[in-house]
Structures are given as structure tokens and as C-alpha cells.
Amino acid sequence: MSETSARRGGYVDSKDQLRRRLQRIEGQVRGITRMVEEERYCLDVLQQIAAARAALDKVALGLVDDHVKHCVLGAEEQSRDEMTEELMGALERLVAGR
Amino acid sequence: MSETSARRGGYVDSKDQLRRRLQRIEGQVRGITRMVEEERYCLDVLQQIAAARAALDKVALGLVDDHVKHCVLGAEEQSRDEMTEELMGALERLVAGR
Amino acid sequence: MSETSARRGGYVDSKDQLRRRLQRIEGQVRGITRMVEEERYCLDVLQQIAAARAALDKVALGLVDDHVKHCVLGAEEQSRDEMTEELMGALERLVAGR
Amino acid sequence: MSETSARRGGYVDSKDQLRRRLQRIEGQVRGITRMVEEERYCLDVLQQIAAARAALDKVALGLVDDHVKHCVLGAEEQSRDEMTEELMGALERLVAGR
């Protein structure tokens, strides 16, 4: 992380939209906590968890899109391979959950 | 949802633990929003999203476990099939993202 | 595996259907190999891989359904917890890819 | 598909390796069919399905890697955005199962 933290996020142009989507997900998770406090039926809780997860996936894919367009394609020739490697590591975690 | 909402959650005995885990995930998502505000590198953000998603998966699997143990197995003979059907619908969304 | 291999599969009643679905998936994978031999466009290949994976997911969920209905619910009281534990281990691999 | 089928696969250099991996997966699926014929325990079958799915995921990620390196980065300026769009569509199916 230390190595990459100097780089800017490729999502900067759509930062506000991204922030709003994350705040909505935060609200979704808060709502799920409330459902648990009210001892709601487990499968209703599960359904909301699946919805929050799908929303996170959407944000993740948006970040991948921004990364390819603005970081990988915008980079100097010599850093592209490294950036593609990093991207593949991130995708592995997303696709295969590892 | 209206049909099922009268039922109690099978997780009631571990409600506090479940609530704490959800609050931690809420905090994780808030941390991701902050990373976006600070314009952190996209793949660092992505890594945290993958972590939050994995944490949600863990909560989801805990709920499935509680559901099978306390709802399906604890139910009257005649409601078990219905409960298994509902469970399968929920698993489909989790496994296949649908 | 040795411990569990004496047990019968809960899917026995729908064995033929299951076998046919698996044979169809085998054919899908063979078709993908052929696409690679013909050097087809990578995203077209990827699409077929996603389709084969979705088909495998469907078979997996069918097995979970059979397992809950015929093994867990059909088991003696004392083996149900063990069977639910085993099921959760299998679901973890499916949901979280671990 | 008709529009893209004229393009070559970005994996051409590693075609043989890719073909061997797909043939191994085909063999895995055939082995699963055999397990079903022998009425093996459902969770043992499920475990092999999860393994085949993980192997497909690995092939899929290899194709994404090849696509980014050889197709997107190797393309003319004006086709890169289109190729990235296509890639994102494929990733959506892989990550979110849609």
C-alpha cells in the first residue's frame, strides 16, 4: 500500500458520485443492523445483505473501469505492465474471493 | 417480505455478536468513503471494498447457518419444505449474484 | 472424504437429470477449448466461460437443495448438526470462493 | 458476437497452455458425472464442483489479463475505449454473476 499510495485515484472526476454511492451503502448496512436489533426474519436480513453486496460489487466494477481508463491507459509505457499486474491481483480477489 | 416478517430471526441468540460485526462493516464502508475523499489510489480502495464484501459474506453465511439450525430444523414438519425453498432462493442470490 | 463416502447422495432421485446437466457442461467446456483452438476473440471465450460457470453454480445449488431436503432433514437427530456443519463448509467455498 | 469475431484472441501466445487447462477442466467435469453415477455423497460432489468452478475462474482471469495486455493496450487509440467497455461487460458477468 505504501508503494502505491502516492498515486492518485483514477476515479477523481467522478469522486462525488462515488462518495454518494458509498454513503448509500453505509446506510444500507446501518439498516441491516437495525433489522437485527428488531430481530427480523433471517432470510429478510440475508436479502438486504445480498443487496448491499451487489451495491459494493457495482462500486468495485466502477473503480476497475476508472483504473483501466485513467491509470493503465494514461500511464507511461513502462508502468502499464505493473499497473495491469496490480489490477489482476485486485480482480482475483473480486472474482474468486481470494 | 410481509409473509415472513412475523417469524423470528434464527440468529436471536447471537444477536449481539451479529450487530457488532455489522457495525464494524459499517465502519469499514465509512473508511472507504474517507479514502475516496482523500483521493487514494483506486486499487487501494478496491482492496478495502473486497475486504468489506468478504466480511458481508461471512455475516451472510452465519445467518444461513442459524437459519438451517434454528428455523428449518426447529420448524414443524410441514413448514420445513417451504423454509428450505426460501433458503434456496436466498442462496441463489448469494452464490450466483442473482 | 473417507468418512463421508459411505453415505448416499441426497440427489439419487434426480440422478439422471443431474447427469445430463453435467454432460451438457462438459460439452460447453469442450466447446470453449474449440474456440481457443480457433483463436476466437478473448471476450467471446470469456462469455462462454461465464456461462459454464453459471451452469455449474446451478448444479451446485441443486445439490445443496437435495442435501438439505434428503440428508439434513432426513437424518437422525444426532447427525443433523454434523451435516449442517459440513454443508456450511461447502457453502463457504461456493459463496466466498474459499 | 458477430461484430467481435473477426478479432484475434489476445491469448494466442499462450494458446497451448490455455487449451491444456480447459481440457483438464473438461476431465474434472467428466469425473463429477462419474461421481454422480456412483451415487457419491452430495457434499463430496459439491466440493469437486467448487474446484472446477475455481479452475474456470482462473482461466477467466488469465483471459482478462491477456485481453488487457494484448488487446486493450495493443489497440489503436480509438478502439481502446470500446475494448474497455467490452471488458467491463465481461467482468460484470464474472464478478456479479450477471
Side-chain angles (χ1 to χ4, degrees), chain B residues 7-68:
Chain B
R7 298 183 187 155
R8 281 182 83 216
Y11 54 81
V12 166
D13 290 342
S14 50
K15 185 177 145 178
D16 284 340
Q17 193 204 16
L18 186 55
R19 196 174 46 185
R20 271 195 303 275
R21 285 164 78 181
L22 283 164
Q23 284 169 335
R24 209 173 310 134
I25 295 170
E26 195 190 317
Q28 276 181 287
V29 179
R30 201 175 311 123
I32 298 168
T33 312
R34 219 162 17 232
M35 288 176 85
V36 166
E37 280 161 4
E38 295 165 0
E39 306 193 354
R40 298 276 294 278
Y41 185 47
C42 17
L43 296 187
D44 290 342
V45 179
L46 203 55
Q47 186 166 345
Q48 294 309 308
I49 290 181
R53 208 182 68 147
L56 276 179
D57 280 345
K58 240 180 134 178
V59 170
L61 286 166
L63 282 170
V64 171
D65 191 29
D66 284 332
H67 180 69
V68 173

Side-chain angles (χ1 to χ4, degrees), chain A residues 21-51:
Chain A
R21 285 164 77 181
L22 283 163
Q23 284 168 335
R24 209 173 308 135
I25 294 170
E26 195 190 317
Q28 275 182 289
V29 178
R30 201 176 310 125
I32 298 169
T33 313
R34 220 164 16 233
M35 289 176 84
V36 167
E37 280 161 3
E38 294 165 2
E39 307 193 355
R40 298 276 294 277
Y41 184 48
C42 18
L43 296 187
D44 289 343
V45 179
L46 203 55
Q47 186 166 347
Q48 294 310 308
I49 290 181

Side-chain angles (χ1 to χ4, degrees), chain D residues 46-61:
Chain D
L46 203 55
Q47 187 166 346
Q48 295 309 309
I49 290 181
R53 206 181 68 146
L56 276 180
D57 280 345
K58 238 178 136 179
V59 170
L61 286 166

